[in-house]
Amino acid sequence: MTTDAYTPAYRQSIEQPDAFWSEAAKAIEWITPPTTILDSSNAPLHRWFTGASLNTCFNALDRHVRDGRGEQPALIHDSPVTGTTETITYAGLLARVATFAGALASLGVEKGDRVVIYMPMVPEAVVAMLACARLGAIHSVVFGGFAPAELAARIEDAQPKVVVAASCGIEPSRVVEYKPMLDAALDRSTHKPESVVVFQREQAVAAVGERDTEWEEMTWDELVADAEPVDCVEVAATDPLYILYTSGTTGRPKGIVRDNGGHAVALRWSMGNIYGIDPGDVWFTASDVGWVVGHSYIVYAPLLTGATTVLYEGKPVGTPDAGAFWRVIAEHRVKAMFTAPTAYRAIKREDPRGELVAQHDISSLETVFLAGERLDPDTYEWATSVLGVPVVDNWWQTETGWPIAANPRGLQPLPIKAGSPSVPMPGYAVSILDETGAPLPAGEEGAIAIRLPLPPGTLPTLWGDDERYVDGYLSTYPGHYATGDGGLVDEDGYLFVMGRTDDVLNVAGHRLSTGSIEAALAGHPDVAECAVIGVADELKGQLPRGLVVLKGGVDTSEAATQRICAELVQRVRDEVGAVAALRQVDVVAALPKTRSGKILRKTMREIADGRVPTVPGTIEDASVLETLKPVLRPDA
Ligand code: COA
Ligand code: AMP
């Protein structure tokens, strides 16, 4: 490995974090510049830039307009599902955001208030996020593929003053009406907002204000018609910018908090140094604003940089074909793109020889970045050969907000090793630990942990629950943050991430909780108990499978169990959302458990994936595993 720029930068970030991050902070415009960099006064909860103040929206929009980028495209909405493309300049986006911020202010939204945003990939979603940032309000975007139970859990926890929703999202196969799902979620939630704002789309116009509700409902256009633009509100660097809920193992989602100051500094640094994107470049992230990749690399990082971001409302395949990404790259002269490996696997399946690439001029493309799940060497090799550009893996999580490990293309391109996201990024002191918390030597697999403090931009805590943060992340290995992933570091310092060591699912790069799918299954009147496991899938990385034990006395004829299984699949679609992609539920006689009653999901997963199962000595009845083998792996 060459050591020109990466090694000294990384070393300084670990040994002299104040020096490293105070230099990085100069790329951000502050109202009160930072004098304190790392604040460990409340360890293990560390804060960055305590005492400094800024506004994130100002850094994403106003400063670029002031500095002459007003006519540069800030956002290109490319929507094959509606057949439209709209380019919005920095000046245009600023005008829309300032006005919508005024509209939210007219509903009483102030600094610190929460606003839930439930919208698909339309510019108004970005406008709503930045309008919150402008006011110092805290947005919480909920992925449009989530159904009422998931949405309700987030509303319950975030307690928003206002909910902003779209009337519908558009999937290639159907129009997904959001308003009935929002209504159902608000009916379930004990917390009610003061106002609901609905952005009407012509594909499904929603009924707004027709029900008798405790809250006021209005359309986006009605609200904005009388609104006056407002200026940015000063916030502390440590004030929350957003809450993004993510799945743990239980059904209760975790509210990841992102602060304003550390986030702006880290994302701006990452854009130039990791992704090699400079002001004026065109950048395309194919994800969704409801996920962390969308927050960081569709919205905030490119705009903080003064780049142009492509907001793509479509799929990698089927809108209209497997050349969709190449068309976007050619049409908008994209310099680098970012998506999940699944998207490339879907393209590879439809166009294995990459013949559609030749139909588009992708000469502007310099790099492809992939993250969200493990980048398998086959997909890496395929993408590299059909595109002829470096394909760069990067590993991170909702909690961290930006890469823990990557190949820093802007700082210093390092050799790429298939199967590895390369090396730790500044501020991340990555360690591989055994079960006792002792560090393991190079080449040995263990739990991936990060020595505290985590760098700027990572979660300072969970929303309203410091204790859950400490218990869930900081207690397993004292002095460290437990990532939940397992892996190893090789002799060259390259990290290899093998996957989650807990029961969190990763389906097509979407993080889902076994707990919430199990809660949906358990709600069926015929189900006594159930378990959900993630099994390996060629396209989506993992797919969930449900195993249920029926209550005594329930009809177990083939016809009856088929009907129950179909109802269970539908329940998960209705409660969690179609994105859970649960298609297979099997009725079984019993589930394997430890003597204390813990269901052995990992053991079942290993059987389903054809691996040697780890059977704990505390198993209650080992014969249950034998009866499950033909169900979990019928072809073996
Ligand atoms: N709103 C409503 N429904 C949604 C949705 C949304 N935003 N996103 C997905 N869904 C639905 C889909 O329509 C599908 O429904 P169906 O079962 O009726 O067909 C279901 O959820 C599963 O969706 P998806 O995971 O997208 O699977 P798919 O088979 O339709 O497509 C891929 C497969 C690989 C093309 C797709 O998963 C993809 O583009 N992945 C990219 C990964 C990604 O962006 N990850 C984000 C983190 S980086
Ligand atoms: P999310 O919080 O949705 O971004 O999901 C984070 C999880 O996705 C991580 O804990 C990993 O299990 C997985 N993940 C993300 N990126 C990668 C990657 N590049 N390689 C392997 N796993 C990844």
mmCIF file of all heavy atoms in Angstrom, residues 143-145 171 174 176 178 286-288 291 293 315-317 340 342-343 346 371 508-510 540 573 578-579 583, ligand 1:
data_model
loop_
_atom_site.group_PDB
_atom_site.id
_atom_site.type_symbol
_atom_site.label_atom_id
_atom_site.label_comp_id
_atom_site.label_asym_id
_atom_site.label_seq_id
_atom_site.Cartn_x
_atom_site.Cartn_y
_atom_site.Cartn_z
ATOM 1 N N PHE A 143 -39.307 5.959 5.405
ATOM 2 C CA PHE A 143 -39.265 5.350 4.065
ATOM 3 C C PHE A 143 -40.688 5.034 3.594
ATOM 4 O O PHE A 143 -41.484 4.448 4.328
ATOM 5 C CB PHE A 143 -38.419 4.079 4.147
ATOM 6 C CG PHE A 143 -38.388 3.264 2.890
ATOM 7 C CD1 PHE A 143 -37.949 3.823 1.694
ATOM 8 C CD2 PHE A 143 -38.783 1.929 2.889
ATOM 9 C CE1 PHE A 143 -37.911 3.066 0.528
ATOM 10 C CE2 PHE A 143 -38.741 1.167 1.737
ATOM 11 C CZ PHE A 143 -38.313 1.740 0.550
ATOM 12 N N GLY A 144 -40.991 5.423 2.346
ATOM 13 C CA GLY A 144 -42.338 5.242 1.799
ATOM 14 C C GLY A 144 -42.766 3.789 1.674
ATOM 15 O O GLY A 144 -43.963 3.501 1.570
ATOM 16 N N GLY A 145 -41.809 2.874 1.692
ATOM 17 C CA GLY A 145 -42.165 1.454 1.587
ATOM 18 C C GLY A 145 -42.639 0.872 2.908
ATOM 19 O O GLY A 145 -43.040 -0.281 2.964
ATOM 20 N N GLU A 171 -44.558 2.886 -7.799
ATOM 21 C CA GLU A 171 -43.752 1.701 -8.056
ATOM 22 C C GLU A 171 -44.042 1.288 -9.490
ATOM 23 O O GLU A 171 -45.139 1.558 -10.006
ATOM 24 C CB GLU A 171 -44.154 0.588 -7.090
ATOM 25 C CG GLU A 171 -43.682 0.805 -5.664
ATOM 26 C CD GLU A 171 -42.174 0.793 -5.563
ATOM 27 O OE1 GLU A 171 -41.566 -0.275 -5.700
ATOM 28 O OE2 GLU A 171 -41.573 1.870 -5.372
ATOM 29 N N ARG A 174 -47.368 -0.481 -9.616
ATOM 30 C CA ARG A 174 -48.589 0.093 -9.043
ATOM 31 C C ARG A 174 -48.330 1.457 -8.415
ATOM 32 O O ARG A 174 -47.181 1.806 -8.109
ATOM 33 C CB ARG A 174 -49.163 -0.828 -7.971
ATOM 34 C CG ARG A 174 -48.274 -0.964 -6.756
ATOM 35 C CD ARG A 174 -48.654 -2.168 -5.923
ATOM 36 N NE ARG A 174 -47.926 -2.194 -4.666
ATOM 37 C CZ ARG A 174 -46.653 -2.547 -4.525
ATOM 38 N NH1 ARG A 174 -45.951 -2.896 -5.584
ATOM 39 N NH2 ARG A 174 -46.070 -2.540 -3.352
ATOM 40 N N VAL A 176 -48.729 3.526 -5.104
ATOM 41 C CA VAL A 176 -48.892 3.216 -3.685
ATOM 42 C C VAL A 176 -49.482 4.444 -3.000
ATOM 43 O O VAL A 176 -48.826 5.484 -2.920
ATOM 44 C CB VAL A 176 -47.527 2.868 -3.045
ATOM 45 C CG1 VAL A 176 -47.699 2.503 -1.582
ATOM 46 C CG2 VAL A 176 -46.845 1.741 -3.808
ATOM 47 N N TYR A 178 -50.227 6.779 -0.169
ATOM 48 C CA TYR A 178 -49.627 6.997 1.149
ATOM 49 C C TYR A 178 -50.651 7.498 2.174
ATOM 50 O O TYR A 178 -50.524 7.240 3.362
ATOM 51 C CB TYR A 178 -48.521 8.063 1.070
ATOM 52 C CG TYR A 178 -47.201 7.599 0.498
ATOM 53 C CD1 TYR A 178 -47.086 6.448 -0.263
ATOM 54 C CD2 TYR A 178 -46.045 8.347 0.732
ATOM 55 C CE1 TYR A 178 -45.865 6.060 -0.783
ATOM 56 C CE2 TYR A 178 -44.818 7.961 0.219
ATOM 57 C CZ TYR A 178 -44.732 6.816 -0.537
ATOM 58 O OH TYR A 178 -43.513 6.428 -1.041
ATOM 59 N N ALA A 286 -28.372 6.292 -6.233
ATOM 60 C CA ALA A 286 -29.642 5.580 -6.434
ATOM 61 C C ALA A 286 -29.972 4.842 -5.143
ATOM 62 O O ALA A 286 -29.516 3.730 -4.914
ATOM 63 C CB ALA A 286 -29.521 4.608 -7.604
ATOM 64 N N SER A 287 -30.711 5.525 -4.292
ATOM 65 C CA SER A 287 -31.175 4.925 -3.042
ATOM 66 C C SER A 287 -32.535 5.554 -2.787
ATOM 67 O O SER A 287 -33.296 5.766 -3.734
ATOM 68 C CB SER A 287 -30.168 5.211 -1.927
ATOM 69 O OG SER A 287 -30.640 4.751 -0.682
ATOM 70 N N ASP A 288 -32.858 5.884 -1.552
ATOM 71 C CA ASP A 288 -34.132 6.527 -1.254
ATOM 72 C C ASP A 288 -33.886 7.497 -0.105
ATOM 73 O O ASP A 288 -33.095 7.189 0.802
ATOM 74 C CB ASP A 288 -35.174 5.475 -0.849
ATOM 75 C CG ASP A 288 -36.571 6.077 -0.742
ATOM 76 O OD1 ASP A 288 -36.856 6.804 0.236
ATOM 77 O OD2 ASP A 288 -37.385 5.838 -1.656
ATOM 78 N N TRP A 291 -33.657 6.302 3.588
ATOM 79 C CA TRP A 291 -32.551 5.546 4.181
ATOM 80 C C TRP A 291 -31.391 6.494 4.460
ATOM 81 O O TRP A 291 -31.326 7.592 3.898
ATOM 82 C CB TRP A 291 -32.067 4.444 3.235
ATOM 83 C CG TRP A 291 -33.137 3.486 2.835
ATOM 84 C CD1 TRP A 291 -33.681 3.358 1.593
ATOM 85 C CD2 TRP A 291 -33.816 2.515 3.655
ATOM 86 N NE1 TRP A 291 -34.641 2.378 1.591
ATOM 87 C CE2 TRP A 291 -34.747 1.841 2.843
ATOM 88 C CE3 TRP A 291 -33.720 2.152 5.007
ATOM 89 C CZ2 TRP A 291 -35.578 0.827 3.330
ATOM 90 C CZ3 TRP A 291 -34.542 1.136 5.486
ATOM 91 C CH2 TRP A 291 -35.454 0.487 4.649
ATOM 92 N N VAL A 293 -28.372 6.331 3.403
ATOM 93 C CA VAL A 293 -27.611 6.646 2.187
ATOM 94 C C VAL A 293 -28.263 7.836 1.476
ATOM 95 O O VAL A 293 -27.589 8.721 0.947
ATOM 96 C CB VAL A 293 -27.527 5.408 1.260
ATOM 97 C CG1 VAL A 293 -26.930 5.776 -0.089
ATOM 98 C CG2 VAL A 293 -26.709 4.304 1.919
ATOM 99 N N LYS A 315 -36.140 2.486 -10.830
ATOM 100 C CA LYS A 315 -35.475 1.268 -10.358
ATOM 101 C C LYS A 315 -34.275 0.998 -11.256
ATOM 102 O O LYS A 315 -34.178 1.547 -12.356
ATOM 103 C CB LYS A 315 -36.438 0.085 -10.459
ATOM 104 C CG LYS A 315 -37.700 0.236 -9.631
ATOM 105 C CD LYS A 315 -37.491 -0.204 -8.198
ATOM 106 C CE LYS A 315 -38.716 0.142 -7.366
ATOM 107 N NZ LYS A 315 -38.620 -0.285 -5.993
ATOM 108 N N PRO A 316 -33.388 0.119 -10.820
ATOM 109 C CA PRO A 316 -32.264 -0.238 -11.694
ATOM 110 C C PRO A 316 -32.705 -1.040 -12.913
ATOM 111 O O PRO A 316 -32.036 -1.018 -13.942
ATOM 112 C CB PRO A 316 -31.357 -1.073 -10.784
ATOM 113 C CG PRO A 316 -32.180 -1.457 -9.608
ATOM 114 C CD PRO A 316 -33.285 -0.474 -9.483
ATOM 115 N N VAL A 317 -33.806 -1.761 -12.782
ATOM 116 C CA VAL A 317 -34.327 -2.565 -13.905
ATOM 117 C C VAL A 317 -35.823 -2.284 -14.032
ATOM 118 O O VAL A 317 -36.483 -1.934 -13.057
ATOM 119 C CB VAL A 317 -34.113 -4.082 -13.674
ATOM 120 C CG1 VAL A 317 -32.633 -4.422 -13.659
ATOM 121 C CG2 VAL A 317 -34.775 -4.551 -12.385
ATOM 122 N N ALA A 340 -26.592 0.354 -4.002
ATOM 123 C CA ALA A 340 -26.365 -0.883 -3.254
ATOM 124 C C ALA A 340 -26.003 -2.006 -4.240
ATOM 125 O O ALA A 340 -26.494 -2.012 -5.371
ATOM 126 C CB ALA A 340 -27.618 -1.251 -2.472
ATOM 127 N N THR A 342 -27.116 -4.882 -4.551
ATOM 128 C CA THR A 342 -28.325 -5.539 -5.081
ATOM 129 C C THR A 342 -28.746 -4.952 -6.409
ATOM 130 O O THR A 342 -29.196 -5.687 -7.301
ATOM 131 C CB THR A 342 -29.502 -5.341 -4.107
ATOM 132 O OG1 THR A 342 -29.115 -5.829 -2.854
ATOM 133 C CG2 THR A 342 -30.730 -6.051 -4.571
ATOM 134 N N ALA A 343 -28.654 -3.646 -6.522
ATOM 135 C CA ALA A 343 -29.090 -2.996 -7.756
ATOM 136 C C ALA A 343 -28.246 -3.503 -8.926
ATOM 137 O O ALA A 343 -28.769 -3.791 -10.010
ATOM 138 C CB ALA A 343 -28.965 -1.481 -7.616
ATOM 139 N N ALA A 346 -29.256 -6.996 -9.821
ATOM 140 C CA ALA A 346 -30.500 -7.010 -10.607
ATOM 141 C C ALA A 346 -30.190 -6.695 -12.077
ATOM 142 O O ALA A 346 -30.737 -7.316 -12.990
ATOM 143 C CB ALA A 346 -31.482 -5.997 -10.033
ATOM 144 N N ALA A 371 -22.547 0.303 -1.414
ATOM 145 C CA ALA A 371 -22.622 0.083 0.040
ATOM 146 C C ALA A 371 -24.027 -0.335 0.412
ATOM 147 O O ALA A 371 -24.931 -0.318 -0.413
ATOM 148 C CB ALA A 371 -22.249 1.359 0.795
ATOM 149 N N ALA A 508 -32.009 -6.657 0.230
ATOM 150 C CA ALA A 508 -31.774 -5.714 -0.871
ATOM 151 C C ALA A 508 -31.207 -4.391 -0.345
ATOM 152 O O ALA A 508 -31.600 -3.311 -0.792
ATOM 153 C CB ALA A 508 -33.069 -5.462 -1.650
ATOM 154 N N GLY A 509 -30.278 -4.482 0.606
ATOM 155 C CA GLY A 509 -29.674 -3.268 1.160
ATOM 156 C C GLY A 509 -30.606 -2.522 2.091
ATOM 157 O O GLY A 509 -30.272 -1.448 2.582
ATOM 158 N N HIS A 510 -31.790 -3.067 2.345
ATOM 159 C CA HIS A 510 -32.733 -2.450 3.284
ATOM 160 C C HIS A 510 -32.594 -3.143 4.633
ATOM 161 O O HIS A 510 -32.696 -4.369 4.710
ATOM 162 C CB HIS A 510 -34.182 -2.603 2.805
ATOM 163 C CG HIS A 510 -34.433 -2.085 1.429
ATOM 164 N ND1 HIS A 510 -35.082 -2.808 0.464
ATOM 165 C CD2 HIS A 510 -34.115 -0.911 0.857
ATOM 166 C CE1 HIS A 510 -35.158 -2.098 -0.650
ATOM 167 N NE2 HIS A 510 -34.564 -0.950 -0.441
ATOM 168 N N LYS A 540 -31.114 -10.490 -3.550
ATOM 169 C CA LYS A 540 -31.286 -9.496 -2.489
ATOM 170 C C LYS A 540 -30.322 -9.655 -1.319
ATOM 171 O O LYS A 540 -30.440 -8.952 -0.325
ATOM 172 C CB LYS A 540 -32.730 -9.528 -1.981
ATOM 173 C CG LYS A 540 -33.732 -9.150 -3.080
ATOM 174 C CD LYS A 540 -35.092 -8.814 -2.545
ATOM 175 C CE LYS A 540 -35.999 -8.397 -3.696
ATOM 176 N NZ LYS A 540 -37.285 -7.873 -3.249
ATOM 177 N N ARG A 573 -47.042 -7.677 4.690
ATOM 178 C CA ARG A 573 -47.123 -6.580 3.701
ATOM 179 C C ARG A 573 -47.920 -5.406 4.276
ATOM 180 O O ARG A 573 -47.551 -4.242 4.110
ATOM 181 C CB ARG A 573 -47.829 -7.050 2.419
ATOM 182 C CG ARG A 573 -46.969 -7.860 1.486
ATOM 183 C CD ARG A 573 -47.758 -8.269 0.246
ATOM 184 N NE ARG A 573 -47.900 -7.182 -0.716
ATOM 185 C CZ ARG A 573 -47.027 -6.904 -1.680
ATOM 186 N NH1 ARG A 573 -45.934 -7.618 -1.797
ATOM 187 N NH2 ARG A 573 -47.233 -5.911 -2.524
ATOM 188 N N ALA A 578 -44.415 -3.905 1.891
ATOM 189 C CA ALA A 578 -44.018 -4.864 0.852
ATOM 190 C C ALA A 578 -42.502 -5.027 0.824
ATOM 191 O O ALA A 578 -41.970 -6.072 0.454
ATOM 192 C CB ALA A 578 -44.510 -4.375 -0.508
ATOM 193 N N VAL A 579 -41.785 -3.971 1.253
ATOM 194 C CA VAL A 579 -40.331 -3.983 1.176
ATOM 195 C C VAL A 579 -39.714 -5.089 2.043
ATOM 196 O O VAL A 579 -38.575 -5.502 1.815
ATOM 197 C CB VAL A 579 -39.809 -2.574 1.546
ATOM 198 C CG1 VAL A 579 -39.967 -2.285 3.029
ATOM 199 C CG2 VAL A 579 -38.397 -2.379 1.092
ATOM 200 N N ARG A 583 -41.971 -13.830 1.544
ATOM 201 C CA ARG A 583 -42.832 -14.603 0.643
ATOM 202 C C ARG A 583 -43.065 -16.013 1.167
ATOM 203 O O ARG A 583 -43.973 -16.688 0.751
ATOM 204 C CB ARG A 583 -42.172 -14.725 -0.741
ATOM 205 C CG ARG A 583 -41.762 -13.416 -1.335
ATOM 206 C CD ARG A 583 -42.137 -13.301 -2.806
ATOM 207 N NE ARG A 583 -41.487 -12.144 -3.397
ATOM 208 C CZ ARG A 583 -41.862 -10.894 -3.183
ATOM 209 N NH1 ARG A 583 -42.903 -10.638 -2.420
ATOM 210 N NH2 ARG A 583 -41.217 -9.880 -3.732
HETATM 211 N N1 COA B 1 -42.802 2.502 -1.618
HETATM 212 C C1 COA B 1 -43.697 1.498 -1.689
HETATM 213 N N2 COA B 1 -43.357 0.232 -1.967
HETATM 214 C C2 COA B 1 -42.067 -0.021 -2.199
HETATM 215 C C3 COA B 1 -41.078 0.972 -2.142
HETATM 216 C C4 COA B 1 -41.494 2.287 -1.829
HETATM 217 N N3 COA B 1 -40.633 3.286 -1.739
HETATM 218 N N4 COA B 1 -39.885 0.408 -2.414
HETATM 219 C C5 COA B 1 -40.116 -0.883 -2.634
HETATM 220 N N5 COA B 1 -41.430 -1.148 -2.517
HETATM 221 C C6 COA B 1 -42.102 -2.434 -2.729
HETATM 222 C C7 COA B 1 -41.863 -2.916 -4.139
HETATM 223 O O1 COA B 1 -42.832 -2.417 -5.039
HETATM 224 C C8 COA B 1 -41.999 -4.417 -3.983
HETATM 225 O O2 COA B 1 -43.384 -4.732 -3.944
HETATM 226 P P1 COA B 1 -43.964 -6.088 -4.587
HETATM 227 O O3 COA B 1 -43.641 -7.146 -3.581
HETATM 228 O O4 COA B 1 -45.418 -5.815 -4.680
HETATM 229 O O5 COA B 1 -43.305 -6.276 -5.899
HETATM 230 C C9 COA B 1 -41.448 -4.676 -2.586
HETATM 231 O O6 COA B 1 -41.524 -3.425 -1.895
HETATM 232 C C10 COA B 1 -40.008 -5.146 -2.579
HETATM 233 O O7 COA B 1 -39.251 -4.108 -3.191
HETATM 234 P P2 COA B 1 -37.738 -4.186 -3.641
HETATM 235 O O8 COA B 1 -36.870 -4.591 -2.499
HETATM 236 O O9 COA B 1 -37.408 -2.893 -4.306
HETATM 237 O O10 COA B 1 -37.694 -5.412 -4.608
HETATM 238 P P3 COA B 1 -37.979 -5.507 -6.135
HETATM 239 O O11 COA B 1 -38.023 -6.958 -6.402
HETATM 240 O O12 COA B 1 -39.113 -4.655 -6.536
HETATM 241 O O13 COA B 1 -36.649 -4.887 -6.784
HETATM 242 C C11 COA B 1 -34.292 -4.402 -6.740
HETATM 243 C C12 COA B 1 -35.377 -5.464 -6.550
HETATM 244 C C13 COA B 1 -32.933 -5.040 -6.587
HETATM 245 C C14 COA B 1 -34.420 -3.805 -8.131
HETATM 246 C C15 COA B 1 -34.481 -3.336 -5.670
HETATM 247 O O14 COA B 1 -34.451 -3.918 -4.411
HETATM 248 C C16 COA B 1 -33.484 -2.195 -5.700
HETATM 249 O O15 COA B 1 -33.514 -1.312 -6.506
HETATM 250 N N6 COA B 1 -32.568 -2.183 -4.737
HETATM 251 C C17 COA B 1 -31.634 -1.104 -4.572
HETATM 252 C C18 COA B 1 -31.266 -1.116 -3.145
HETATM 253 C C19 COA B 1 -31.362 0.192 -2.463
HETATM 254 O O16 COA B 1 -31.669 1.220 -3.016
HETATM 255 N N7 COA B 1 -31.073 0.124 -1.166
HETATM 256 C C20 COA B 1 -31.149 1.254 -0.293
HETATM 257 C C21 COA B 1 -29.982 1.333 0.609
HETATM 258 S S1 COA B 1 -28.526 1.866 -0.264
#
